[in-house]
Every structure is written in structure tokens, then in C-alpha cells.
Amino acid sequence: MHHTDFLSRIEHGKVVAAIAEAEKRTSGEIRVWISHREVKDALESAQQRFHKLGMHKAAERNGVLVYVAPRSRAFAVVGDKAAHEKCGDTFWKEVAAQLEADLKREAFTDALLGAVRKIGDVLAEHFPRRTGGENRPPGDAVHS
């Protein structure tokens, strides 16, 4: 599937709102990236994008990137060091399983919303927002 077809089937506003809502409760950063390229290894591509976005520079090392490559029918979820350590392998497998199931049934918005909400919940539990804490504006949260 071409990335523009994928993007046209996503309710962008709902995804941005879900990210903003999740980030109100955590010091963590959540981003969604829809790649326009065909990728051989979604995890490797997601890790590269994570670094290009500078997400590894967060003081608490608690950013999470949801990366989707529609042309390759692939996705990956990358959590920074502290996020990965706190959440554990079972959590990441659950997020991946939910994403995979929703993407297979072509419920693209639901897939992203479910992942963002689940990630937001666990980040809020382990990395609650500090009083006066300020994340970047949520309008910059979904990329392609």
C-alpha cells in the first residue's frame, strides 16, 4: 500500500488528540511516523528515525516511536532505554500484537489510537508528568 493511501485512511486529528491526551499525563514523548519508503527491516528503520528525530536526547530516556511502513506492510515500536526497561518485553509484545491485528483488518486509525493509548498509560504509570513540566507541542506528533 502506498503511504498516501494509508495516510488518507487515517483520522489524523484523532491520532494527534490521542497523543496530546497521553502526553498530558506523562513526561514521556510519543510520536507516530508513517514512512513513505519501502523498508527491509522496520525495526532498524524505526531506530534510525528515532535517532534522526532526536528522541534519544530526552533527559529521562522515555520516548516511544510508533513507526509504520505501509509499502512494506511492516511496523515497529521503539522505546528509549528507560521506557524499554520500565515497560518490559511483555508490554512491547502486547502493543505489537494489537497493532498487527488492527492493521491486518485495515483499521488504521484504531491501530494507531490503541497503540498511543496503551503506550500513554504505561508511560504515565512509570513516568508521570511533573508539575509545570512541558512537552513539545502535540501538533508535531504525527509525521510522514
Side-chain angles (χ1 to χ4, degrees):
M1 171 180 288
H2 196 272
H3 86 288
T4 54
D5 295 333
F6 184 88
L7 284 171
S8 71
R9 294 175 61 187
I10 292 174
E11 294 178 66
H12 186 267
K14 284 186 176 182
V15 177
V16 171
I19 292 169
E21 189 61 36
E23 287 185 344
K24 285 180 186 175
R25 301 179 295 125
T26 180
S27 63
E29 176 182 15
I30 302 168
R31 289 196 185 190
V32 172
W33 186 274
I34 311 302
S35 176
H36 65 279
R37 295 189 171 111
E38 192 166 322
V39 300
K40 291 182 182 181
D41 184 333
L43 181 57
E44 182 180 315
S45 296
Q47 289 168 334
Q48 289 173 358
R49 180 57 51 193
F50 189 91
H51 283 276
K52 284 180 183 176
L53 292 170
M55 293 181 73
H56 64 290
K57 295 178 183 177
E60 292 187 63
R61 305 293 305 265
N62 58 357
V64 178
L65 174 66
V66 177
Y67 180 94
V68 181
R71 282 187 172 190
S72 304
R73 297 187 178 268
F75 70 89
V77 181
V78 176
D80 207 346
K81 183 176 174 40
H84 184 72
E85 289 171 357
K86 292 280 187 183
C87 299
D89 288 338
T90 301
F91 170 76
W92 301 109
K93 288 176 184 173
E94 288 172 2
V95 171
Q98 174 262 309
L99 260 169
E100 183 174 24
D102 286 341
L103 291 172
K104 278 186 178 178
R105 64 183 180 88
E106 297 189 0
F108 303 136
T109 299
D110 289 346
L112 297 176
L113 292 176
V116 166
R117 289 175 181 148
K118 192 170 193 76
I119 291 163
D121 288 346
V122 81
L123 288 179
E125 178 183 334
H126 295 291
F127 304 100
R129 182 180 269 289
R130 294 176 304 276
T131 305
E134 198 60 45
N135 287 1
R136 68 178 165 67
D140 192 31
V142 180
H143 303 274
S144 63

